[in-house]
Amino acid sequence: MRDTLRKAAAVAFAATALAASTVLTGTSAQAASAASTDATPTCRTTGLRASLADTDPAQVGMSHRGKLLRLTNTSGRTCALRGYPGLGLEDAEHHPLVTETHWGSTYFAQDPGKRTLFLEPGQSAEADLAWAVADAPRVVHASYLEITPPASTTHLTLPFPERVTNGDLNVTAFAYRISLP
């Protein structure tokens, strides 16, 4: 029995040592990048303001609509933002509506891909938000939009009085600036 316990302990120790050596053999650039990301807190809803920017006529056409979704750092310190927002539609009483969010390129903009953005106080990041307004068997009549920033568990809410075909929303990753046609 003791030999079995000693062997199990030796295997566990070897696995831990192997994992530690794997982590320590990374390049110094990876270590520096990880250190700067670790030192900068993730942007949280309490330190962000959300807004939607009309981009008419750039994002109107072929039964599609779009707006730029902006998150602005309102905290007093730099924060990190990486990836895509979570989105949800709500009715006039703030009850959730059936929504499906698709991450990637939209009808109007190419997806910039996931990158870590460092937002200084007052600085913004934007993502392109697009949806169809065509007649379909299911059209969702929204009143509000829930926005959950990447790595967050809480959301911000904005007025969003829009018809959305099938409740489908398309959104790009956040970037410092999204290019529109």
Side-chain angles (χ1 to χ4, degrees):
M1 179 79 158
R2 283 187 180 164
D3 286 338
T4 304
L5 291 175
R6 284 185 188 152
K7 286 180 185 176
V11 169
F13 177 79
T16 303
L18 178 61
S21 69
T22 302
V23 169
L24 295 175
T25 58
T27 66
S28 61
Q30 289 171 326
S33 174
S36 66
T37 301
D38 290 342
T40 304
T42 300
C43 297
R44 299 287 179 216
T45 53
T46 56
L48 292 171
R49 181 182 70 244
S51 61
L52 292 170
D54 272 326
T55 54
D56 296 345
Q59 292 199 91
V60 175
M62 300 297 293
S63 298
H64 286 80
R65 301 286 182 271
K67 295 180 184 279
L68 287 177
L69 168 60
R70 286 198 180 103
L71 292 181
T72 303
N73 180 0
T74 60
S75 75
R77 57 193 309 205
T78 299
C79 65
L81 189 70
R82 176 181 174 81
Y84 300 85
L87 301 173
L89 299 171
E90 296 180 349
D91 66 15
E93 287 80 39
H94 292 282
H95 296 118
L97 298 169
V98 176
T99 309
E100 188 167 338
T101 302
H102 307 275
W103 292 345
S105 296
T106 69
Y107 188 81
F108 301 103
Q110 290 294 320
D111 183 35
K114 278 182 157 182
R115 291 190 179 96
T116 302
L117 308 176
F118 297 97
L119 301 182
E120 295 176 5
Q123 190 175 16
S124 297
E126 55 190 32
D128 189 53
L129 169 63
W131 63 96
V133 293
D135 289 330
R138 190 171 73 83
V139 175
V140 173
H141 296 275
S143 295
Y144 296 96
L145 177 67
E146 294 178 352
I147 301 121
T148 305
S152 292
T153 57
T154 58
H155 65 268
L156 302 164
T157 305
L158 290 175
F160 191 73
E162 301 287 345
R163 285 182 36 198
V164 180
T165 303
N166 297 319
D168 288 340
L169 298 172
N170 297 286
V171 67
T172 65
F174 280 105
Y176 291 114
R177 180 143 175 80
I178 296 289
S179 296
L180 296 174

